[in-house]
Amino acid sequence: MRMKARATMVALVPTLLFAAVGCSSTNTPATDKAPDPKGSAATASAAPGAPAPSAAAAGSAAPKTGGSRLERSALAQGDLPGYQISAQGKNPNAPDGQPQADKKACQPLADVMGDKPSPSARETVSRGMGSQKQLGLAVSASVSSYSEADAKALISRLKAAVAACGTGFTAKVEKQTGAYREVRPADYRTGGDESVSWTMTAAAEGVSAQVHLVVVREGDTVVRLTALNVAAAPQQKAQVPQEVADKQLEKLRQVRQAG
């Protein structure tokens, strides 16, 4: 994407993927600092891929012992070979809060693009990821705690919204507006108790990109996964890598079993 196109990414995907876009374009290991908003995403298509993590980091990393259960459940650097994972899942230049949709039926789809999957989330921990295998692929993963009833209701609302909002909607967060069109359910294999997956095309200022979202409920915890390819043509499909979804759910279960 051109530099101007990258500048519109905040409006396209209001809060989540802006962090992952920066993460996907850097050739240095991820740190606990947010990616530089003036990074090299505009030249990602020409840059060589970053080296894969060392063999020591490539295994199934044990959950961290510090922090809350949710923090220990979130992906960390070293959990997934071939990915740079930012422990801070949001760029400080991204807008705050939950986007507001122009159509009531589509509000759940706007909410899920915000700081948390829905306002009823008790806690949310987010991660931004850049693929070293597929240059330009930006992925975000978050885990959120709910009451089990609220988690079930979220999945139901998202399924209804995907069915009702095929023609699209617009959403505004702070002073930035993005348009989302061609909302389509997508087949995607996950574990968990139940899940919903869909794609949509985000557009602003003449720039568009396809976004893929997967939301999975595991008991009272909701996993949200989002993918966008910042180096691909607008019509090229984006998909959450299966290995990311599998690893996030595996780590969530490991932490649950550890107590």
Side-chain angles (χ1 to χ4, degrees), residues 44-240:
S45 59
S54 65
S60 179
K64 291 184 179 181
T65 56
S68 69
R69 188 185 77 175
L70 213 61
E71 284 281 355
R72 288 181 282 120
S73 299
L75 293 172
Q77 183 65 18
D79 282 346
L80 276 167
Y83 292 87
Q84 296 176 4
I85 301 177
S86 171
Q88 181 171 331
K90 181 179 175 181
N91 189 291
N93 281 12
D96 294 315
Q98 299 300 113
Q100 296 302 305
D102 64 335
K103 300 176 183 177
K104 185 177 180 180
C106 304
Q107 186 58 46
L109 302 182
D111 277 334
V112 85
M113 300 298 289
D115 290 339
K116 48 190 179 180
S118 72
S120 59
R122 294 171 174 173
E123 180 187 1
T124 296
V125 178
S126 298
R127 298 290 185 254
M129 280 170 266
S131 173
Q132 297 167 325
K133 305 173 183 178
Q134 186 177 344
L135 199 62
L137 179 65
V139 184
S140 70
S142 74
V143 285
S144 300
S145 60
Y146 285 82
S147 70
E148 189 160 347
D150 284 343
K152 289 179 178 179
L154 170 61
I155 300 296
S156 295
R157 287 196 302 270
L158 286 172
K159 288 180 178 179
V162 170
C165 299
T167 57
F169 62 99
T170 62
K172 185 175 182 179
V173 59
E174 292 184 353
K175 295 182 179 180
Q176 296 169 345
T177 301
Y180 303 89
R181 60 178 186 266
E182 299 171 347
V183 179
R184 301 286 184 268
D187 291 331
Y188 192 83
R189 178 183 60 81
T190 68
D193 296 321
E194 55 182 335
S195 65
V196 56
S197 171
W198 70 99
T199 59
M200 55 188 181
T201 301
E205 298 183 21
V207 178
S208 64
Q210 190 181 88
V211 185
H212 178 220
L213 298 99
V214 181
V215 181
V216 186
R217 180 181 71 83
E218 178 83 14
D220 60 359
T221 304
V222 169
V223 171
R224 170 184 56 182
L225 303 156
T226 315
L228 176 146
N229 196 325
V230 298
Q235 68 273 16
Q236 184 170 333
K237 293 182 178 180
Q239 185 172 35
V240 173

